[in-house]
Amino acid sequence: MNRELYGKLIFELSHKGRKGYKLPNTGVKASMEGVPAELLRSTSPALPEVDELTVVRHYTNMSNNNFGVDTGFYPLGSCTMKYNPKINEEIATDPRLASLHPDQPTYTTQGALELYHTLELYLSEIGGMAEFTLNPYAGAHGELTGLMVIRAYHEQNGDSKRTKVIVPDSAHGTNPASAAVAGLTIVEVKSRPDGTVDVDDLRPLLDDTVAAVMMTNPNTLGIFERNIPEIASLVHDAGALLYYDGANLNPMVGVARPGDMGFDVMHINLHKTFSTPHGGGGPGAGPVGVRKGLEHLLPNPRVVMNEDGTYGIEYSDESLGQISGTLGNFAVCARALSYILSLGRNGLKWVGPLATLNANYIKESLKDKYLLPIDGVCKHEFVFDGLKDKSTGVTTLNVAKRLLDFGFHAPTIYFPLLFHESLMIEPTETESLETIDEFISVMSRIADESIADPDMVKDAPHNTPISHPDDTEAALHPVVSYFELSAQ
Amino acid sequence: MLHRYFPHTEEDISVMLQKCGLSDMKDLYSDVPEQLLLGCDYDLPDEWSEKEVRDFFKRLGDKNRNLTCFAGNGYYDHYSPAVISAILSRSEFLTAYTPYQPEISQGTLQYIFEYQSMMTQLTGLDVSNASMYDGATATAEAMMMTIASVRKRNKVLVSATIAPQVLNVMKTYAHYHGVELELIKEKDGVTDKSDFEEKICKGDVAGVVVAIPNRYGILEDYAGWADMIHRNKALLVMNCVASALGAVKSPGEWGADIAVGDAQSLGMPLNYGGPYLGFMCATKALMRKIPGRIVGATKDKDGKRSFVLTLQAREQHIRREKATSNICSNQGLMALYVTIYMSLLGTDGLKEVNELSCAGAHYLAEALVNTGKVALKYSDKPYLNEFVVVTSFSVDELISKGVEAGILCGVKLSENEMLIAVTEMRTREEMDQLVGLVSKM
Amino acid sequence: MSKIYYSPTHEYIKVDGNVGYIGITDYAQHQLGNVVYVDMPEVDDEVVAGEDFGAIESVKAASDLISPVSGTVVEVNEALVDEPGLINKDSMENWIIKVEMSDASELDSLLDEGAYKELCH
């Protein structure tokens, strides 16, 4: 990483009179004539004035202060940071796809609609669902959409008192938030020590006010909910629907399908399971699938295949409504389809097993030095409750920061909340034995350092572009733009 | 090798299984009830080489028509500098996740900080979040934000002149979240001011949502609106086309509390609908009510300037049951897109984009009217780069003639009404070609 | 001499006649860590026992402030606007709002110091 070039903001590289653009010659003289002055800005936005090379260097240097999957191992639990194949980028940026306007007549976008429809079919096959919508823009957006499907289902049945959603206390934080936004009240169900749902605790909660139960399977501790068939029938007997949070779908790919487990509605994070790049936090995509009988509730607009084999776009009154301005993050969907085709059925069947093998191998290799609260086979990820020997006061945060010094991204920390020192590791299937062995040896070394030289570990990281930033100060006196910063 | 994306050899697998005390890959799933196991391959094609993947997508691509674009309706064909795609393809940006570890994520954090700074300039407001999904969802989030910010009020007014897809998304969110969403009527292509005044004065409104420019491309005059809204203790939300704010009066100048919209117009490819970029800015007073992530400046232990995700605690992942937003991350890479775009174009470039688009649209509108085949629907209203024509012929027929000639003539509003947009990408020749088509109708 | 009552949600109320000073307990401030922001109501706002009247944020958490009693806000602690960290320094001294109680009998359902300490053990 480039420590020397670190620092300046693009605004600080600005010089009056420089420019980094040349607009096309349209043949019409530039003018705002026709727009009354009182509708125009009276002050100009203070954007930087820079030449093209300055911009290129600035952002290239900035990229050197970043860490991606292409940089190194990224075992961030619940985020499925697998390799993002390059062919997918080439496909997604093809102008034959990228230059289509969303309002073009459908007879001029048949290829794009076929792409949408094909991915929708493939996801339905993988999820064991009847139909998918690709409209949701992200995982959380998918969750929200899925819960709206569920509410629409009960509404259309005239079942208006179903306003509760049951969520395990080990769930991803977005579950209760999505439920709240969808106008549902959250009821937490306690999990057993391994994070799985306690059927006996669940049973009395299931009454005629419950709209849905949201589950992640395997759960956030990487443990498969083996009682899922029983849970599904309990939920269905109570007249509620079962929602599958697709955040942890990866270990199930090639192995088992949420639809077969009894889930009615699910979302998939294409940026996790189907390898579209995370982009520093987006754009992702959160397609939502439903079992047979719920298809009509999916959001507008819907892509349909006509009888003559052509594709169209439909808006239906039975739908839950529109949840996105467009048909979703189309270019992200193109990447996911490219990935599925590159793997094919013979590749896909190894995704879950190899991800699971990698996770178990790390778990078994490190459980002597890190506290493993739940023994036994995990799925694609597992959680350590910090170091085994905590006598020197080295925390999970310290371990995470020390890992950065060795060129590894940190695991997810302090989640799930079931343990105080959670360290959640997800290696994915695309990492080699050598990479994993190196990670294990570094983790092991950090555990030793924590005893031999705890202060050094607590002071980590030592060789990253910046040292530990003061986030209390950032929250206490928020400075959230350059103009506030330069006014200081 | 099982596949080029999987490094595991048979030997690796056996070493690893042994370490786990297992003898077979199947043992990894011994906890999954037998009847749930797939037991066969998916009904999908076999593994393809890159050649086959390319051929497949080429076949799909060839089924599409790339047209000279006069369509807008919120999404515009603007010039996109080559620098942007070059930087965006840098995998340090592309393959990173949300910047949870600031020490090795300064690249992402810094561009978000720059993005926020630029958006506050564009909107004339104090604080920007790190971006959202798209303009429609950002507007729905703003609607919920007004409810969360104004105590004990549950009603939001939205002008009927807002883009239909934005209104539809707002309606969906309002329905499920339990917001009372009420339309302010439209009159002659603009928001009916007397209807607005009547509704705001009832004193039960948390927010008012209006558009710049509106769904017909018209720039409405909102003089006095903010005062009246604030007198009634409500918030003014403006839904904007980001690019337009390089020239037209900003939400801050109108006195708005929240600005939202789609930033696709800042040079992003049309991509058949996405990814685009929703933005949200607000006054400092509302900083802690803004959904999504925000990046702040601070110092590291050595006193070096650094950037971190801040105000995290207010986010849904901690205060979860009372969430008024469930947005987790942002539209990261797309925020980088528009940050580079605004760096290259700067103040002058953005203004010039608007001048060229505006001049082109007015040139085209006049030429179209001169054919005698169409009239401007709202001829007395000011517009920026998009306008509605009433045709004496079938809009579908023109659109299909246009497609034959390689032109996307506009967006159909009804059998004889069409919305036409012009950007700096449209040359006079292309506009004359469209005029030629219309004159032959 | 004022008497102090506690709620199970870690607020306290120091009662002085029919006026009470409401804040968060030392245990609560310790759990939260560095307080960075306190979202407070306005003077004359009504508060209801068991309902939230604001929120408090630290770097790692945000939590609702639940009123132990019903009444009208007569004063808010403006010092917390600029220096929310005062709560970490001395949360018992740095109350958040001052309320004129509408029903003093609500105090009966709150905890005394012993019972509260028991709760936090």
Side-chain angles (χ1 to χ4, degrees):
Chain A
M1 294 207 186
N2 196 332
R3 302 170 72 180
E4 282 67 38
L5 285 166
Y6 176 76
K8 286 198 168 162
L9 290 159
I10 190 75
F11 297 93
E12 294 161 335
L13 302 172
S14 177
H15 278 271
K16 199 157 178 51
R18 295 220 173 110
K19 68 172 204 172
Y21 71 96
K22 166 81 180 90
L23 292 175
N25 179 6
T26 63
V28 180
K29 192 174 169 294
S31 152
M32 289 301 284
E33 228 170 279
V35 181
E38 68 268 21
L39 298 178
L40 296 176
R41 287 188 80 113
S42 52
T43 53
S44 295
L47 298 174
E49 295 180 60
V50 276
D51 61 288
E52 190 168 316
L53 178 57
T54 300
V55 170
V56 170
R57 286 216 178 118
H58 176 68
Y59 291 103
T60 302
N61 285 325
M62 257 164 69
S63 77
N64 289 334
N65 294 315
N66 234 24
F67 187 99
V69 174
D70 285 6
T71 317
F73 186 42
Y74 213 124
L76 193 63
S78 265
C79 298
T80 316
M81 301 300 288
K82 62 173 76 175
Y83 169 58
N84 307 144
K86 300 304 159 193
I87 180 76
N88 304 346
E89 297 309 303
E90 180 187 305
I91 296 301
T93 49
D94 184 333
R96 282 172 298 200
L97 299 174
S99 63
L100 299 176
H101 190 284
D103 291 320
Q104 274 188 227
T106 53
Y107 60 86
T108 65
T109 60
Q110 286 296 301
L113 293 170
E114 185 178 336
L115 190 163
Y116 186 106
H117 189 73
T118 306
L119 179 60
E120 190 254 290
L121 283 179
Y122 289 2
L123 294 179
S124 299
E125 168 66 12
I126 293 167
M129 293 283 154
E131 188 174 332
F132 263 83
T133 172
L134 308 184
N135 296 10
Y137 293 120
H141 199 216
E143 263 177 34
L144 179 59
T145 305
L147 290 170
M148 287 174 175
V149 168
I150 289 167
R151 284 205 65 192
Y153 167 79
H154 293 306
E155 261 175 22
Q156 291 188 6
N157 288 343
D159 207 349
S160 59
K161 62 183 175 301
R162 291 188 183 271
T163 54
K164 286 187 203 152
V165 56
I166 298 176
V167 182
D169 57 4
S170 60
H172 294 111
T174 36
N175 289 180
S178 299
V181 174
L184 293 160
T185 323
I186 297 110
V187 179
E188 275 201 358
V189 58
K190 287 253 175 310
S191 50
R192 289 184 297 210
D194 64 354
T196 57
V197 170
D198 192 326
V199 181
D200 292 330
D201 277 353
L202 178 65
R203 197 176 285 116
L205 297 176
L206 288 167
D207 59 22
D208 61 0
T209 62
V210 175
V213 176
M214 288 184 95
M215 287 180 65
T216 311
N217 196 15
N219 66 21
T220 55
L221 296 173
I223 305 296
F224 188 83
E225 300 271 1
R226 60 172 78 214
N227 292 323
I228 194 67
E230 192 191 350
I231 293 172
S233 72
L234 282 175
V235 170
H236 292 147
D237 287 349
L241 298 181
L242 191 56
Y243 185 87
Y244 184 87
D245 174 347
N248 291 356
L249 179 64
N250 207 45
M252 292 293 112
V253 174
V255 179
R257 310 191 303 173
D260 299 337
M261 296 175 203
F263 287 94
D264 304 289
V265 184
M266 70 178 291
H267 82 267
I268 294 178
N269 304 67
L270 293 186
H271 44 287
K272 295 180 181 177
T273 316
F274 295 101
S275 188
T276 70
H278 282 73
V288 168
V290 293
R291 67 149 162 85
K292 201 164 169 41
L294 300 175
E295 302 96 319
H296 61 290
L297 301 169
L298 287 172
N300 285 327
R302 273 171 81 188
V303 173
V304 293
M305 190 175 178
N306 301 316
E307 275 176 15
D308 62 359
T310 60
Y311 299 92
I313 295 176
E314 275 186 7
Y315 287 79
S316 140
D317 289 342
E318 289 188 307
S319 155
L320 69 89
Q322 196 171 344
I323 52 91
S324 56
T326 63
L327 281 170
N329 282 340
F330 177 74
V332 176
C333 295
R335 288 174 172 93
L337 181 58
S338 168
Y339 175 75
I340 291 175
L341 291 169
S342 299
L343 282 178
R345 59 175 168 190
N346 42 334
L348 284 168
K349 71 178 173 193
W350 289 105
V351 167
L354 291 175
T356 299
L357 178 66
N358 279 358
N360 278 285
Y361 179 76
I362 296 175
K363 172 174 63 72
E364 291 304 314
S365 305
L366 286 171
K367 69 179 184 184
D368 291 342
K369 297 195 170 168
Y370 291 84
L371 183 62
L372 183 64
I374 300 150
D375 211 354
V377 176
C378 66
K379 294 278 106 39
H380 65 308
E381 69 187 5
F382 63 95
V383 179
F384 283 132
D385 189 5
L387 285 159
K388 209 165 193 178
D389 184 344
K390 295 186 173 70
S391 61
T392 57
V394 171
T395 63
T396 279
L397 179 68
N398 304 144
V399 172
K401 295 300 180 193
R402 182 66 181 139
L403 263 174
L404 308 182
D405 282 337
F406 294 94
F408 290 110
H409 197 280
T412 294
I413 55 175
Y414 300 109
F415 182 84
L417 307 171
L418 300 174
F419 310 114
H420 291 297
E421 291 289 320
S422 289
L423 191 64
M424 187 194 218
I425 297 172
E426 179 182 9
T428 85
E429 70 281 9
T430 59
E431 296 300 330
S432 70
L433 180 56
E434 292 88 330
T435 302
I436 287 174
D437 275 339
E438 202 188 327
F439 174 72
I440 290 165
S441 100
V442 165
M443 283 289 283
S444 181
R445 175 176 164 173
I446 294 171
D448 295 342
E449 287 175 349
S450 300
I451 305 302
D453 192 357
D455 288 344
M456 184 274 296
V457 178
K458 288 178 193 172
D459 213 27
H462 300 281
N463 55 15
T464 46
I466 58 161
S467 61
H468 193 61
D470 184 348
D471 39 16
T472 303
E473 178 55 28
L476 203 51
H477 301 114
V479 175
V480 296
S481 83
Y482 164 71
F483 304 93
E484 290 179 350
L485 190 63
S486 60
Q488 281 186 337
Chain B
M1 281 281 279
L2 301 167
H3 189 279
R4 66 185 184 282
Y5 300 158
F6 309 143
H8 303 69
T9 63
E10 274 177 36
E11 199 193 333
D12 293 342
I13 290 174
S14 90
V15 166
M16 295 172 85
L17 281 172
Q18 203 180 355
K19 177 82 201 174
C20 302
L22 304 172
S23 54
D24 191 285
M25 289 293 278
K26 284 200 175 74
D27 298 342
L28 292 165
Y29 291 92
S30 56
D31 51 349
V32 179
E34 183 81 28
Q35 78 269 23
L36 298 184
L37 291 172
L38 198 52
C40 62
D41 292 351
Y42 294 125
D43 185 12
L44 295 174
D46 271 339
E47 167 190 356
W48 282 359
S49 72
E50 288 193 349
K51 177 185 183 294
E52 287 148 336
V53 173
R54 282 186 181 128
D55 288 349
F56 173 81
F57 283 97
K58 179 176 184 306
R59 184 180 66 76
L60 293 186
D62 289 344
K63 286 181 162 185
N64 298 324
R65 289 293 307 274
N66 291 145
L67 304 167
T68 301
C69 184
F70 287 96
N73 196 28
Y75 314 114
Y76 302 89
D77 178 29
H78 282 289
Y79 155 68
S80 173
V83 167
I84 303 179
S85 51
I87 300 287
L88 256 69
S89 68
R90 289 194 66 89
S91 62
E92 297 88 343
F93 287 134
L94 184 68
T95 69
Y97 192 45
T98 301
Y100 288 132
Q101 298 293 335
E103 294 90 343
I104 55 168
S105 309
Q106 286 297 300
T108 301
L109 289 161
Q110 189 178 333
Y111 78 63
I112 293 174
F113 188 80
E114 291 182 351
Y115 162 83
Q116 291 173 181
S117 309
M118 291 179 190
M119 291 314 295
T120 61
Q121 285 297 307
L122 214 49
T123 58
L125 291 169
D126 309 316
V127 184
S128 166
N129 73 6
S131 75
M132 314 187 84
Y133 308 137
D134 77 343
T137 55
T139 311
E141 295 264 1
M143 168 188 75
M144 296 192 292
M145 183 176 154
T146 63
I147 297 294
S149 308
V150 182
R151 277 171 209 216
K152 291 180 183 142
R153 291 192 188 177
N154 195 40
K155 188 193 279 184
V156 173
L157 304 179
V158 57
S159 169
T161 66
I162 202 164
Q165 69 272 20
V166 178
L167 181 60
N168 284 341
V169 173
M170 289 175 75
K171 280 181 179 167
T172 307
Y173 276 64
H175 174 75
Y176 293 104
H177 194 58
V179 176
E180 200 185 328
L181 187 65
E182 201 173 302
L183 275 183
I184 309 173
K185 283 183 205 138
E186 172 196 325
K187 195 179 170 192
D188 303 327
V190 297
T191 318
D192 183 342
K193 198 168 180 191
S194 63
D195 192 40
F196 155 69
E197 286 172 353
E198 196 178 306
K199 284 173 172 150
I200 188 70
C201 289
K202 289 181 183 157
D204 59 351
V205 172
V208 178
V209 187
V210 297
I212 306 177
N214 76 14
R215 64 182 294 189
Y216 309 117
I218 296 169
L219 292 167
E220 298 192 35
D221 187 347
Y222 298 113
W225 285 56
D227 284 346
M228 181 166 283
I229 289 166
H230 293 152
R231 267 202 304 281
N232 286 282
K233 295 199 168 158
L235 300 169
L236 172 58
V237 179
M238 292 183 140
N239 165 283
C240 320
V241 173
S243 173
L245 299 181
V248 310
K249 194 159 170 171
S250 70
E253 289 171 315
W254 286 117
D257 302 280
I258 304 170
V260 284
D262 212 300
Q264 180 280 333
S265 56
L266 297 174
M268 290 174 52
L270 288 161
N271 262 331
Y272 203 48
Y276 293 162
L277 180 78
F279 66 88
M280 179 184 280
C281 295
T283 57
K284 192 104 188 177
L286 291 170
M287 180 170 67
R288 282 185 150 82
K289 302 286 185 192
I290 299 179
R293 304 214 190 276
I294 295 179
V295 169
T298 186
K299 290 199 163 74
D300 74 358
K301 277 198 304 204
D302 307 315
K304 196 192 287 186
R305 180 164 75 195
S306 46
F307 303 94
V308 292
L309 291 174
T310 192
L311 308 178
Q312 290 267 66
R314 75 195 206 302
E315 269 194 79
Q316 45 84 14
H317 67 271
I318 295 174
R319 204 180 171 193
R320 45 199 225 171
E321 281 87 359
K322 299 197 72 175
T324 49
S325 169
N326 73 330
I327 192 163
C328 288
S329 55
N330 59 344
Q331 201 79 332
L333 204 68
M334 298 297 105
L336 175 60
Y337 197 107
V338 304
T339 305
I340 302 172
Y341 177 86
M342 287 187 276
S343 299
L344 289 166
L345 272 87
T347 311
D348 292 344
L350 227 51
K351 194 162 167 234
E352 218 177 303
V353 162
N354 279 288
E355 288 169 349
L356 286 169
S357 304
C358 181
H362 285 77
Y363 168 82
L364 178 60
E366 193 184 333
L368 286 172
V369 169
N370 286 342
T371 63
K373 301 288 174 69
V374 303
L376 283 186
K377 182 155 189 209
Y378 307 107
S379 55
D380 60 335
K381 298 288 190 308
Y383 60 93
L384 182 64
N385 70 325
E386 196 167 16
F387 53 89
V388 179
V389 291
V390 182
T391 63
S392 56
F393 48 80
S394 148
V395 164
D396 284 327
E397 209 178 311
L398 173 66
I399 287 180
S400 101
K401 290 231 164 88
V403 170
E404 280 169 38
I407 298 176
L408 179 56
C409 297
V411 174
K412 178 184 169 182
L413 294 182
S414 70
E415 293 312 316
N416 67 337
E417 285 179 348
M418 191 165 72
L419 190 59
I420 299 175
V422 179
T423 68
E424 77 286 1
M425 294 292 277
R426 297 288 74 84
T427 63
R428 189 167 165 164
E429 288 72 39
E430 290 166 341
M431 291 188 264
D432 290 345
Q433 208 184 342
L434 174 55
V435 173
L437 281 175
V438 169
S439 64
K440 284 196 215 106
M441 293 298 291
Chain C
M1 191 55 199
S2 64
K3 187 164 179 337
I4 306 178
Y5 299 85
Y6 299 84
S7 74
T9 48
H10 308 288
E11 288 85 11
Y12 66 79
I13 177 165
K14 279 196 279 190
V15 179
D16 187 3
N18 67 337
V19 170
Y21 297 83
I22 299 172
I24 65 164
T25 65
D26 188 57
Y27 175 83
Q29 73 77 16
H30 193 74
Q31 290 292 309
L32 279 168
N34 291 339
V35 173
V36 293
Y37 180 70
V38 188
D39 182 18
M40 294 182 286
E42 286 169 23
V43 170
D44 290 340
D45 279 1
E46 298 290 322
V47 296
V48 179
E51 290 186 14
D52 65 288
F53 65 85
I56 187 161
E57 267 181 45
S58 70
V59 176
K60 61 178 182 183
S63 96
D64 286 325
L65 294 166
I66 311 291
S67 185
V69 295
S70 305
T72 309
V73 179
V74 289
E75 195 179 338
V76 299
N77 188 351
E78 296 287 348
L80 297 175
V81 175
D82 289 329
E83 210 181 333
L86 287 172
I87 288 182
N88 297 114
K89 278 183 191 149
D90 188 343
S91 73
M92 298 306 287
E93 200 54 44
N94 293 288
W95 49 270
I96 298 169
I97 53 170
K98 184 171 160 187
V99 172
E100 192 171 290
M101 292 183 287
S102 56
D103 180 4
S105 73
E106 285 170 348
L107 294 169
D108 299 341
S109 54
L110 296 171
L111 310 171
D112 63 17
E113 191 172 349
Y116 179 69
K117 279 206 171 128
E118 184 75 12
L119 184 81
C120 302
H121 59 269

